[in-house]
Amino acid sequence: MHLRVINPNTTEAMTVTIGESARAVAGPGTRLDAVTSATGPASIESHYDEALSVPGLLAEVARGEREGVDGYVIACFGDPGLDAARELAAGPVVGIAEGAMHAAALVGRGFSVVTTLDRTKGRAWELAERYGAPCKGVYACDIPVLDLDKDPGVLDRVVTLAREALARDGTDVIVLGCAGMADLAARASARLGVPVVDGVAAATVLVQALVTLGLRTSKHVEYATPPAKEYK
Ligand code: 5HY
C-alpha cells in the first residue's frame, strides 16, 4: 500500500521528524512518503494559521489521488481540513490528534494532552469532544512550534508538565500535542513510566490498519466528492 503523511505547515525540517516517526511504524508492505505543504504558514499556532494551512493540505491530497495514494495522515495536532480531505480522498484520512486520542483511549482510563501554546488548548478540547475521547486535561509548555527542535530543554519541560498533568488529572496516559514532538515520545515514556502517544505514529498505524481492512472513506452522502462548480 502507499500512504502519504502530509505536514500542513511549510517547514521541511518538521516534515523530516514526521517522516521518521511514520516510517518507524510502517509495515514491510507499506510505501510511505512524508510531504510538506507548498503554501501556507511556517507553523500552525492559531485558528488563522489553521485556516491558511488547509488549501495547501488539500492540494497534497488531490495530488495523492492522482498518484494512487491509498491513505493519508494529516500531521498537525489541530487536524486541519480533515473533513474536506475526506471528501477528496478515496481512502482513509486520519488526523494525528484523532489517531493519538483513540490510541490513548485503548491503553488507559484517561489521558492528558501536553501541547505547545496556550492558545491551541481550546482546539484540543474541541477535538476530544468530537472524537468522544477521555481527555481530562490539556497543558501547554509554551514553546513555539518552530522552537521545539531548537530548545534543549523541551524534553524536560514536556516531562515536568506531563508529571503534573498525571497527578492533577488522575490520568494514566499522555498525548503529545504537536507533530514536532514526535521524536520525544519514547524518551518521555521512559521517564514517566506511562504510555506517551505520538499522534504521527498512531495515525499512521491506524490508516495502515484501515487500508488493510479494506475500509475506505464512505462516499455515501457527507464525504461524497464535492459538487462540481467554478472556484475563483
Ligand atoms: C502541529 N502546529 O502539530 C501543530 C501543533 C499545535 O505546525 N504542527 C503545527 O500547536 O497545534
Side-chain angles (χ1 to χ4, degrees), residues 63-87:
R63 180 167 70 90
E65 290 304 288
R66 294 193 295 273
E67 296 171 0
V69 168
D70 296 301
Y72 302 86
V73 169
I74 298 177
C76 170
F77 201 75
D79 293 354
L82 178 61
D83 292 312
R86 284 181 175 158
E87 290 177 336

Side-chain angles (χ1 to χ4, degrees), residues 80-138:
L82 178 61
D83 292 312
R86 284 181 175 158
E87 290 177 336
L88 297 187
V93 184
V94 175
I96 66 170
E98 187 178 36
M101 290 181 179
H102 287 314
L106 296 175
V107 293
R109 172 61 65 186
F111 64 84
S112 303
V113 175
V114 175
T115 188
T116 53
L117 299 185
D118 231 39
R119 64 183 303 153
T120 67
K121 289 179 8 180
R123 181 69 175 149
W125 280 114
E126 237 173 44
L127 292 174
E129 174 82 19
R130 168 177 169 171
Y131 303 140
C135 178
K136 309 295 183 195
V138 181

Side-chain angles (χ1 to χ4, degrees), residues 21 28-29 42 48-50 53 57 62-63 118 123 145 152-153 166 178 184 186 188 197 209 216 218-219 224 229 232:
S21 175
Y48 180 80
D49 290 344
E50 192 159 316
S53 76
L57 165 82
R63 180 167 70 90
D118 231 39
R123 181 69 175 149
V145 170
L166 293 166
C178 179
L184 304 179
V197 186
R216 296 153 59 93
S218 172
K219 295 303 167 186
K229 67 188 65 178
K232 289 185 179 176

